[in-house]
mmCIF file of all heavy atoms in Angstrom:
data_model
loop_
_atom_site.group_PDB
_atom_site.id
_atom_site.type_symbol
_atom_site.label_atom_id
_atom_site.label_comp_id
_atom_site.label_asym_id
_atom_site.label_seq_id
_atom_site.Cartn_x
_atom_site.Cartn_y
_atom_site.Cartn_z
ATOM 1 N N PRO A 277 127.631 83.418 84.615
ATOM 2 C CA PRO A 277 127.895 84.099 85.886
ATOM 3 C C PRO A 277 128.877 83.275 86.734
ATOM 4 O O PRO A 277 129.006 82.067 86.555
ATOM 5 C CB PRO A 277 126.526 84.150 86.555
ATOM 6 C CG PRO A 277 125.755 83.046 85.923
ATOM 7 C CD PRO A 277 126.232 82.964 84.532
ATOM 8 N N ASP A 278 129.588 83.975 87.598
ATOM 9 C CA ASP A 278 130.560 83.340 88.493
ATOM 10 C C ASP A 278 129.773 82.722 89.684
ATOM 11 O O ASP A 278 129.135 83.421 90.446
ATOM 12 C CB ASP A 278 131.532 84.387 89.023
ATOM 13 C CG ASP A 278 132.675 83.768 89.794
ATOM 14 O OD1 ASP A 278 132.427 82.824 90.555
ATOM 15 O OD2 ASP A 278 133.823 84.253 89.643
ATOM 16 N N VAL A 279 129.857 81.404 89.816
ATOM 17 C CA VAL A 279 129.120 80.696 90.831
ATOM 18 C C VAL A 279 129.541 81.162 92.230
ATOM 19 O O VAL A 279 128.730 81.326 93.155
ATOM 20 C CB VAL A 279 129.308 79.180 90.719
ATOM 21 C CG1 VAL A 279 128.598 78.445 91.838
ATOM 22 C CG2 VAL A 279 128.819 78.680 89.353
ATOM 23 N N GLY A 280 130.838 81.406 92.410
ATOM 24 C CA GLY A 280 131.324 81.895 93.703
ATOM 25 C C GLY A 280 130.726 83.226 94.074
ATOM 26 O O GLY A 280 130.353 83.457 95.255
ATOM 27 N N VAL A 281 130.577 84.110 93.111
ATOM 28 C CA VAL A 281 129.939 85.404 93.332
ATOM 29 C C VAL A 281 128.476 85.231 93.671
ATOM 30 O O VAL A 281 127.942 85.892 94.589
ATOM 31 C CB VAL A 281 130.129 86.316 92.104
ATOM 32 C CG1 VAL A 281 129.312 87.598 92.279
ATOM 33 C CG2 VAL A 281 131.600 86.639 91.898
ATOM 34 N N LEU A 282 127.784 84.352 92.956
ATOM 35 C CA LEU A 282 126.366 84.140 93.201
ATOM 36 C C LEU A 282 126.070 83.744 94.621
ATOM 37 O O LEU A 282 125.090 84.189 95.229
ATOM 38 C CB LEU A 282 125.833 83.073 92.238
ATOM 39 C CG LEU A 282 125.900 83.349 90.726
ATOM 40 C CD1 LEU A 282 125.287 82.202 89.924
ATOM 41 C CD2 LEU A 282 125.156 84.634 90.416
ATOM 42 N N GLN A 283 126.947 82.924 95.209
ATOM 43 C CA GLN A 283 126.747 82.474 96.583
ATOM 44 C C GLN A 283 126.923 83.580 97.598
ATOM 45 O O GLN A 283 126.348 83.546 98.665
ATOM 46 C CB GLN A 283 127.706 81.338 96.891
ATOM 47 C CG GLN A 283 127.499 80.080 96.054
ATOM 48 C CD GLN A 283 128.540 79.004 96.309
ATOM 49 O OE1 GLN A 283 129.598 79.304 96.881
ATOM 50 N NE2 GLN A 283 128.289 77.786 95.870
ATOM 51 N N LYS A 284 127.698 84.601 97.239
ATOM 52 C CA LYS A 284 128.021 85.664 98.171
ATOM 53 C C LYS A 284 127.107 86.886 98.039
ATOM 54 O O LYS A 284 127.169 87.794 98.866
ATOM 55 C CB LYS A 284 129.450 86.131 97.965
ATOM 56 C CG LYS A 284 130.505 85.045 98.231
ATOM 57 C CD LYS A 284 131.913 85.567 97.893
ATOM 58 C CE LYS A 284 132.942 84.464 98.132
ATOM 59 N NZ LYS A 284 134.309 84.917 97.738
ATOM 60 N N CYS A 285 126.258 86.916 97.025
ATOM 61 C CA CYS A 285 125.484 88.117 96.776
ATOM 62 C C CYS A 285 123.985 87.828 96.637
ATOM 63 O O CYS A 285 123.278 88.552 95.931
ATOM 64 C CB CYS A 285 125.979 88.849 95.534
ATOM 65 S SG CYS A 285 125.846 87.879 94.022
ATOM 66 N N ILE A 286 123.519 86.772 97.315
ATOM 67 C CA ILE A 286 122.098 86.454 97.236
ATOM 68 C C ILE A 286 121.236 87.606 97.828
ATOM 69 O O ILE A 286 120.249 87.994 97.226
ATOM 70 C CB ILE A 286 121.809 85.127 97.985
ATOM 71 C CG1 ILE A 286 122.472 83.977 97.242
ATOM 72 C CG2 ILE A 286 120.315 84.887 98.085
ATOM 73 C CD1 ILE A 286 122.333 82.625 97.928
ATOM 74 N N GLY A 287 121.652 88.092 98.985
ATOM 75 C CA GLY A 287 120.906 89.175 99.600
ATOM 76 C C GLY A 287 120.885 90.415 98.739
ATOM 77 O O GLY A 287 119.840 91.089 98.581
ATOM 78 N N ASP A 288 122.035 90.775 98.155
ATOM 79 C CA ASP A 288 122.103 91.950 97.276
ATOM 80 C C ASP A 288 121.163 91.777 96.095
ATOM 81 O O ASP A 288 120.473 92.705 95.693
ATOM 82 C CB ASP A 288 123.541 92.146 96.768
ATOM 83 C CG ASP A 288 124.552 92.350 97.888
ATOM 84 O OD1 ASP A 288 124.656 93.475 98.390
ATOM 85 O OD2 ASP A 288 125.186 91.359 98.303
ATOM 86 N N SER A 289 121.161 90.592 95.518
ATOM 87 C CA SER A 289 120.364 90.327 94.330
ATOM 88 C C SER A 289 118.884 90.414 94.615
ATOM 89 O O SER A 289 118.103 90.975 93.797
ATOM 90 C CB SER A 289 120.701 88.968 93.729
ATOM 91 O OG SER A 289 122.043 88.904 93.333
ATOM 92 N N ILE A 290 118.452 89.908 95.784
ATOM 93 C CA ILE A 290 117.026 90.006 96.131
ATOM 94 C C ILE A 290 116.628 91.466 96.301
ATOM 95 O O ILE A 290 115.559 91.891 95.795
ATOM 96 C CB ILE A 290 116.755 89.211 97.421
ATOM 97 C CG1 ILE A 290 116.967 87.714 97.181
ATOM 98 C CG2 ILE A 290 115.340 89.475 97.934
ATOM 99 C CD1 ILE A 290 116.811 86.861 98.411
ATOM 100 N N SER A 291 117.462 92.258 96.999
ATOM 101 C CA SER A 291 117.156 93.677 97.171
ATOM 102 C C SER A 291 117.079 94.406 95.843
ATOM 103 O O SER A 291 116.156 95.187 95.585
ATOM 104 C CB SER A 291 118.220 94.336 98.054
ATOM 105 O OG SER A 291 118.268 93.740 99.335
ATOM 106 N N ILE A 292 118.043 94.120 94.961
ATOM 107 C CA ILE A 292 118.072 94.759 93.640
ATOM 108 C C ILE A 292 116.851 94.387 92.826
ATOM 109 O O ILE A 292 116.225 95.195 92.156
ATOM 110 C CB ILE A 292 119.380 94.358 92.905
ATOM 111 C CG1 ILE A 292 120.570 95.026 93.591
ATOM 112 C CG2 ILE A 292 119.333 94.781 91.426
ATOM 113 C CD1 ILE A 292 121.906 94.463 93.121
ATOM 114 N N ALA A 293 116.467 93.092 92.899
ATOM 115 C CA ALA A 293 115.302 92.601 92.132
ATOM 116 C C ALA A 293 114.019 93.324 92.583
ATOM 117 O O ALA A 293 113.216 93.783 91.753
ATOM 118 C CB ALA A 293 115.155 91.094 92.296
ATOM 119 N N ILE A 294 113.846 93.438 93.890
ATOM 120 C CA ILE A 294 112.587 94.035 94.419
ATOM 121 C C ILE A 294 112.569 95.535 94.173
ATOM 122 O O ILE A 294 111.553 96.078 93.693
ATOM 123 C CB ILE A 294 112.470 93.718 95.928
ATOM 124 C CG1 ILE A 294 112.258 92.202 96.123
ATOM 125 C CG2 ILE A 294 111.292 94.483 96.507
ATOM 126 C CD1 ILE A 294 112.212 91.788 97.563
ATOM 127 N N VAL A 295 113.659 96.214 94.442
ATOM 128 C CA VAL A 295 113.681 97.680 94.241
ATOM 129 C C VAL A 295 113.529 98.022 92.769
ATOM 130 O O VAL A 295 112.784 98.922 92.392
ATOM 131 C CB VAL A 295 114.964 98.278 94.818
ATOM 132 C CG1 VAL A 295 115.099 99.739 94.470
ATOM 133 C CG2 VAL A 295 114.995 98.099 96.336
ATOM 134 N N GLY A 296 114.246 97.290 91.918
ATOM 135 C CA GLY A 296 114.162 97.552 90.472
ATOM 136 C C GLY A 296 112.770 97.395 89.937
ATOM 137 O O GLY A 296 112.267 98.240 89.203
ATOM 138 N N PHE A 297 112.082 96.314 90.372
ATOM 139 C CA PHE A 297 110.731 96.108 89.932
ATOM 140 C C PHE A 297 109.792 97.169 90.482
ATOM 141 O O PHE A 297 108.894 97.695 89.783
ATOM 142 C CB PHE A 297 110.273 94.725 90.329
ATOM 143 C CG PHE A 297 108.790 94.527 90.176
ATOM 144 C CD1 PHE A 297 108.175 94.513 88.940
ATOM 145 C CD2 PHE A 297 107.981 94.328 91.312
ATOM 146 C CE1 PHE A 297 106.810 94.340 88.792
ATOM 147 C CE2 PHE A 297 106.590 94.161 91.184
ATOM 148 C CZ PHE A 297 106.025 94.143 89.931
ATOM 149 N N ALA A 298 109.925 97.485 91.785
ATOM 150 C CA ALA A 298 109.023 98.442 92.435
ATOM 151 C C ALA A 298 109.095 99.809 91.753
ATOM 152 O O ALA A 298 108.059 100.423 91.473
ATOM 153 C CB ALA A 298 109.347 98.564 93.911
ATOM 154 N N VAL A 299 110.292 100.316 91.470
ATOM 155 C CA VAL A 299 110.457 101.575 90.826
ATOM 156 C C VAL A 299 109.903 101.576 89.411
ATOM 157 O O VAL A 299 109.136 102.446 89.009
ATOM 158 C CB VAL A 299 111.961 101.979 90.817
ATOM 159 C CG1 VAL A 299 112.168 103.238 89.974
ATOM 160 C CG2 VAL A 299 112.454 102.204 92.240
#
Side-chain angles (χ1 to χ4, degrees):
D278 188 320
V279 177
V281 172
L282 297 181
Q283 296 174 345
K284 298 176 182 177
C285 62
I286 294 177
D288 301 278
S289 298
I290 293 176
S291 299
I292 291 168
I294 293 175
V295 172
F297 167 67
V299 172

